[in-house]
Amino acid sequence: MTDTPERPTSDQLTAADVQCYCPVGGVIDLLGRKYAIQVVCVVGAMQPARYTEIEAAFGEVSSSTLSTRLSELTEAGLLDREQRNTIPPEVQYRLTTDGAELCAVLEPLLQWVESRDPSG
Amino acid sequence: MTDTPERPTSDQLTAADVQCYCPVGGVIDLLGRKYAIQVVCVVGAMQPARYTEIEAAFGEVSSSTLSTRLSELTEAGLLDREQRNTIPPEVQYRLTTDGAELCAVLEPLLQWVESRDPSG
DNA sequence: CTGTATCCGCGGGGATACTG
DNA sequence: CAGTATCCCCGCGGATACAG
């Protein structure tokens, strides 16, 4: 309860109040990329998820795009990639703790999207 | 409780189970565009929101980009645009019922992003 | 004030071929 | 199986100028 003049007692938000409310770079930017949100949720639903399974979850994805997305999400600390050097090779993707938090927050979004536009 | 062979009793999800869980087009695509998520939440926080206020909430946006985003979101039925033909003209943006639902689901995401990456 | 119109560069993403 | 490498196109998005 300070008497800071910059923050009026009004409960009506102004532009200044939400100025810090708009992260544009970083994770938000990553999530804007194609399939990013869905990949997080798909991995969360299938854990552990293998590359081919993830690929199959999307009807049409080019391997390069999916590969890039997986790398980015792993790099961002949202996915954990574990490779087993067997023959044939086997890779398992899981959510990190951070990724799980994100997934929990993302799932309601996908639920809403589905309920609103069932045709995809 | 049918005996459908395609759906095993396993509680482990497979690719087939999440196949319908990955909407790619429509709203998700729109939300991938720059500032889209933030615009929804900013309008939700400021209602009613005027163009200049929204613009000010983002440090740097080109008018063309913001204008396009507002049009798209309005077209998608997420924003309601009300124009008053005064001089100077005044436009007020609000969330539609759908938009409010989306905003409610989006806000935890922005909260999480901020808490994870405070530097923006 | 609230945009639209135009031009244009950059990079995201698809297709394809190839590798450990 | 699980990708990477390469090429290339398209469309997003910025800058700028202009309009009602």
Side-chain angles (χ1 to χ4, degrees), chain B residues 39-116:
Chain B
V39 164
V40 171
C41 290
V42 164
V43 171
M46 300 198 307
Q47 286 183 87
R50 301 185 56 178
Y51 182 88
T52 306
E53 290 176 334
I54 301 173
E55 196 173 33
F58 302 90
E60 301 283 314
V61 213
S62 70
S63 59
S64 58
T65 301
L66 180 57
S67 176
T68 302
R69 211 79 328 129
L70 287 168
S71 297
E72 291 169 350
L73 293 170
T74 303
E75 175 72 14
L78 298 171
L79 292 186
D80 178 49
R81 181 182 184 276
E82 183 185 354
Q83 177 162 7
R84 314 182 61 190
N85 287 319
T86 56
I87 295 181
E90 183 175 343
V91 176
Q92 299 189 337
Y93 289 95
R94 297 165 205 271
L95 295 179
T96 61
T97 304
D98 258 25
E101 285 179 17
L102 176 59
C103 180
V105 129
L106 245 31
E107 217 144 318
L109 171 60
L110 287 186
Q111 303 270 353
W112 180 84
V113 169
E114 283 182 275
S115 72
R116 185 174 190 266

Side-chain angles (χ1 to χ4, degrees), chain B residues 20-34:
Chain B
C20 58
Y21 191 53
C22 310
V24 168
V27 188
I28 277 286
D29 196 59
L30 217 179
L31 293 178
R33 306 252 164 75
K34 208 166 189 181

Side-chain angles (χ1 to χ4, degrees), chain A residues 17-91:
Chain A
D17 295 315
V18 290
Q19 197 147 12
C20 59
Y21 192 52
C22 309
V24 168
V27 189
I28 277 285
D29 196 59
L30 217 179
L31 293 177
R33 308 255 162 77
K34 208 165 188 180
Y35 308 114
I37 290 177
Q38 293 93 327
V39 165
V40 172
C41 289
V42 163
V43 171
M46 300 198 308
Q47 288 184 85
R50 301 183 56 177
Y51 182 88
T52 307
E53 291 176 333
I54 301 173
E55 195 172 33
F58 302 88
E60 302 284 314
V61 213
S62 70
S63 58
S64 58
T65 300
L66 180 56
S67 176
T68 302
R69 211 79 326 131
L70 287 168
S71 298
E72 291 169 349
L73 293 170
T74 302
E75 175 72 15
L78 298 170
L79 293 185
D80 178 49
R81 180 181 184 277
E82 183 183 356
Q83 176 162 7
R84 314 182 62 188
N85 287 318
T86 55
I87 295 183
E90 183 175 345
V91 176

